Amino acid sequence: MRKTLLFLCFTILIGMSACQEPGQGNQTGNPTPTNTSTPKPTAIPAVWVPQEAPAIRNSISEEEKIARQQAILDGMDRAVPYLQQLEDAGVPVLWRPFHELDGGWFWWSKGGAENFAKLWQLMYSRYTDYWGLDNLIWVFGYSGNGGDMAAWYPGDSYVDLVGADSYTPGANDNLFEECEKLAPAGMPLVFHECGTIPTEKQLKAGDTDWLFFMVWHTDYITKESNNTIASLKDIYNSEYFITLDELPAFH
């Protein structure tokens, strides 16, 4: 049976009731994993709470901090039964949580680099140490901002793939070079989101070896101002690019 490599981008929904399928949930609304083995305690690198202005943050009690952290964990746990189903079916997942992590426009980056690194470590530990998931390929996805990317990095042991996204046409050699400086030797680099797919010529010109690209949906595929029909045909028929039909079965 042919297995599929999934690419998932996960945004935690805090304060909403948990989905009850598959595996249903317990009385607290938290998901019950299909893997019924007793999980190990979560190794939390530091107490993580959403960041407000210092005057507000300093007024939060320890009990409130713990409650907020539990809310974060409950949000993370909503995905666990589904990821467990994929693991049970032998499906690896390119897991890209908290995308455009250094952009500043999503809640997870508003607390700054140090706080974000703790959040990423918390999710990694929750899924791997507590729930025992081992089918996730962790994609660390920067925005196209560039700058002090190292400050956001949680450490090599928490990341499998490093990448950036950009809606600037071309291979974005500068972003590739910044990722290359940051990643450990041998770690593949990915163009985890783009608007215009770089051509073979553009990628070769700068020796920009993105492992994969993911073009954004709807207008970015259908409008000629983003990707022309001729360009799409050239890219998807080129021997330089590997398409789904050329991949081996994942067992």
Side-chain angles (χ1 to χ4, degrees), residues 35-236:
N35 179 357
T36 57
S37 60
T38 302
K40 296 181 289 184
T42 306
I44 298 175
V47 173
W48 189 93
V49 293
Q51 297 293 288
E52 296 95 348
I56 299 175
R57 185 167 68 248
N58 293 338
S59 68
I60 300 174
S61 67
E62 289 302 314
E63 291 77 11
E64 177 64 15
K65 289 180 181 179
I66 292 172
R68 291 185 180 202
Q69 180 169 264
Q70 188 59 53
I72 290 290
L73 294 175
D74 290 346
M76 292 178 181
D77 288 351
R78 293 181 62 188
V80 170
Y82 307 98
L83 295 173
Q84 185 64 61
Q85 277 195 339
L86 293 171
E87 180 178 324
D88 294 342
V91 178
V93 176
L94 287 164
W95 184 243
R96 187 187 67 147
F98 313 125
H99 69 296
E100 296 177 343
L101 58 96
D102 59 335
W105 42 81
F106 293 119
W107 65 262
W108 49 82
S109 59
K110 292 185 181 295
E114 181 180 0
N115 199 55
F116 175 80
K118 292 176 183 177
L119 176 63
W120 182 278
Q121 291 167 348
L122 178 63
M123 174 180 272
Y124 183 96
S125 181
R126 185 72 173 178
Y127 283 5
T128 59
D129 298 329
Y130 189 89
W131 292 113
L133 295 168
D134 61 4
N135 62 323
L136 304 182
I137 301 168
W138 291 78
V139 181
F140 198 72
Y142 288 96
S143 70
N145 285 357
D148 188 12
M149 296 168 68
W152 298 81
Y153 192 64
D156 295 347
S157 59
Y158 296 95
V159 176
D160 295 310
L161 301 173
V162 169
D165 72 9
S166 174
Y167 285 79
T168 301
N172 285 262
D173 304 342
N174 59 323
L175 279 179
F176 182 87
E177 290 170 3
E178 290 197 57
C179 291
E180 194 171 34
K181 292 175 184 176
L182 177 72
M187 178 179 285
L189 307 178
V190 300
F191 201 21
H192 68 86
E193 188 178 310
C194 65
T196 303
I197 305 171
T199 65
E200 176 180 348
K201 182 178 180 180
Q202 290 168 334
L203 291 167
K204 285 182 174 179
D207 197 22
T208 308
D209 296 326
W210 296 115
L211 176 67
F212 68 75
F213 64 83
M214 184 188 74
V215 64
W216 200 235
H217 54 71
T218 54
D219 288 351
Y220 288 98
I221 282 290
T222 60
K223 282 194 173 181
E224 289 255 334
S225 58
N226 296 310
N227 291 283
T228 66
I229 293 175
S231 176
L232 290 173
K233 286 182 177 179
D234 287 344
I235 288 168
Y236 283 94

